[in-house]
Amino acid sequence: MTAATKPVAKIRETRSDRIFNAVNTAFWIVVLAIVLYPLYLILIASVSDPDAVMMGRVLFKPVDFSLIGYEAVFRHRDLWNSYVNAIFYTLAGSALSLVVTLMAAYGLSRRFLAKGLFNFLIVFTMFFTGGLIPTFITLKDMGLYNTRIIMVIINCVSVWNLMVARTYIKTTLPEDLYEAAVVDGATHFVYFFRIVLPLSGTIIAVLSVYYGVARWNDYFTALVYIRDRVKLPLQTILREVLASLTTSTSSDAFFSAYANDTKGMTDAMRKAAVAKYCCIVVSTAPAVLLYIFMQKYFVKGVMIGSLKG
Amino acid sequence: MDIQADRKVNRRQDLNSMFKRVGLKLKTDWQIYVLLLPALAFFFVFNYKPLYGIQIAFRNYKAAFGVTGSAWVGLKNFRDFFTSYYAGRLFINTFVLNLYGLLWGFPLPVLLAILLNQFRNQRFKAFTQTAIYVPHFISTVVMAGMLYLFLSPTNGIINHLMGTSTYFMLEPRWFRSLFIISDLWQHSGWNTILYLATLSAINPEIYEAATIDGATRLKKILHVDIPHLLPICTMMLILNAGSLMGSNTDKALLMSTSGNTPVSDIIGVYVYRMGLEKAQYSYTSAIGLCVNLINFVMIMSVNWFSRRIGETSLF
């Protein structure tokens, strides 16, 4: 109450600054609520009783805790098959992307003959593409349609990521280091593998998250290029489950999987209602967890890379 | 005579030394080309080969005859599209959706970055930053799924809370708002990264000087933060201008229902439906080519314009 009880600020803030801070803090509390509440809602709905979820009674905490939805998800064959596919596509694809991008990024960070031409050839693809159909026909003519290979090699290099990696290498590795290595007889290969790669941990983390999440979340590629159901990735199956108006029709995966159950149709409908929330949790957790684990390197790396070097 | 002969010798020496220099460079630098090779091969197959395939827009493509073997029809596909009932609707839907998206989606991250940058409490700042990036990692399918779940007329939480039973996903008037709001929710936080990076690079002495001169926080934002953000904002605007006719086909496809087609039918969705579901390859290639050209011209002109009036440009 008196001045003595208050901690003395190092630099006394003006009245307008204090008002600003208060408003700013309040603003961010609202923003955080808007950002986090939908995610929280999905989490608590996924472990609640179907009836409570359907009646809109689940708002702040799980109601009538039940794992019935997860049980339904775990017994959904297509979903797990596609889950395994997605893991394969993501791991293989991101590893390939990472290697190809880092190699090119190092190349572009050095001076060499006709660099301008190569730079142009790469950046140009950002601004003018063949479009969906010509690309589709070209790849189909190459025999890549309906293969697992296309799911691994498509979108292999993102120009944006390449530029971020190039900037990172250019700005974090001093030129002296390269000159010293050359004096010691290092070629580009040796310098790249022995010096650049070991020092690029941060950018490797950033690129893995970028590429990994993009592949995990991609459904459009499979929609265009994959016909066989056994080769479909997770997101395509998820689309059937989630992004449809029908809560339960005969085409609904959960409904048909449970129509033969003893309790029959109503039970299947109830399960389907919560199972959707569980699907979201099960499919989104890997991407979000990857981000949170990598978070430490992530923000720093993105910031260094995104500054123009 | 002597002088001319001398010149010849000189020129030859110049040429020789140039070749030597190039040779020397290649002797050490060939490894760079090897490192670039995989990426270039990728761009060749996935970007440059399809450019050659664009010619099917001027042909009547039949799979049996291949890209170069199909009959040449000139501009017929383009005429067909522009005289069709859909052309006007598609262009308007695409443009309006992108324009609204830009009007909301461009300023919000800048504002968020400026306000986040004002935090004194570093732990709260770090937590907030981590939290607002999370929605970016949710897939488009899940995002659309969340809309269907939350907005369901019978079981959705929104309708429960409002005591209504609106068919949000079926009514055309809700489509654009839902599309843009969900985009803002997902990506505004993430899009602050670039601006936060720019703000964190500002020399702290500038702030100190401003404080000594008696500037309030608001004044510092107006006179330090915003001028520093302007170049990067211009760059982002130029990049965004290049996609005003582009389509977020993934999301529009997921959110389009039988009810909202009058507004959800955007160019990308139409190309997908007609091209891949109905195999009208040439017709849809022509549409794709038009859109590409429009976007290309747009980004070039905005870039040219911003170089004329300011100093910022992409290239």
Side-chain angles (χ1 to χ4, degrees), chain B residues 66-275:
Chain B
V67 170
T68 46
S70 300
W72 187 268
V73 294
L75 295 174
K76 179 183 171 294
N77 295 314
F78 295 86
R79 264 199 309 274
D80 284 353
F81 175 59
F82 282 106
T83 52
S84 78
Y85 158 74
Y86 292 105
R89 182 173 100 169
L90 288 169
F91 275 111
I92 289 171
N93 280 344
T94 310
F95 183 72
V96 170
L97 189 63
N98 285 329
L99 189 69
Y100 286 168
L102 187 65
L103 286 180
W104 288 98
F106 181 72
L108 190 61
V110 183
L111 180 78
L112 290 178
I114 289 175
L115 292 181
L116 191 60
N117 194 47
Q118 291 297 327
F119 269 138
R120 280 287 194 71
N121 186 336
Q122 289 304 312
R123 279 179 66 188
F124 188 42
K125 182 181 174 184
F127 171 77
T128 310
Q129 223 177 328
T130 309
I132 59 175
Y133 294 163
V134 168
H136 179 78
F137 294 91
I138 291 172
S139 75
T140 321
V141 175
V142 168
M143 185 68 246
M146 282 165 66
L147 289 175
Y148 281 104
L149 278 172
F150 294 157
L151 299 169
S152 154
T154 48
N155 305 331
I157 182 166
I158 303 286
N159 274 316
H160 275 305
L161 289 178
M162 299 200 308
T164 53
S165 53
T166 314
Y167 285 81
F168 287 101
M169 300 305 281
L170 275 173
E171 284 183 21
R173 68 198 175 97
W174 283 105
F175 174 77
R176 282 175 191 146
S177 310
L178 291 174
F179 194 97
I180 289 159
I181 291 170
S182 56
D183 254 9
L184 291 178
W185 181 75
Q186 259 203 292
H187 304 299
S188 298
W190 178 258
N191 289 339
T192 58
I193 287 185
L194 212 56
Y195 306 114
L196 279 174
T198 312
L199 287 173
S200 70
I202 297 177
N203 188 346
E205 284 175 15
I206 299 178
Y207 288 114
E208 281 159 25
T211 313
I212 290 166
D213 288 348
T216 59
R217 295 205 150 206
L218 222 53
K219 284 255 166 70
K220 278 182 236 169
I221 290 177
L222 280 175
H223 300 294
V224 180
D225 290 357
I226 291 182
H228 275 93
L229 285 173
L230 269 182
I232 189 86
C233 287
T234 320
M235 260 189 40
M236 294 314 285
L237 260 186
I238 299 172
L239 277 173
N240 281 318
S243 52
L244 270 179
M245 268 299 158
S247 311
N248 188 349
T249 314
D250 299 32
K251 194 168 172 186
L253 208 56
L254 289 163
M255 284 180 66
S256 78
T257 57
S258 54
N260 64 20
T261 25
V263 288
S264 70
D265 203 15
I266 60 172
I267 296 173
V269 173
Y270 184 74
V271 166
Y272 171 79
R273 294 238 162 96
M274 296 304 278

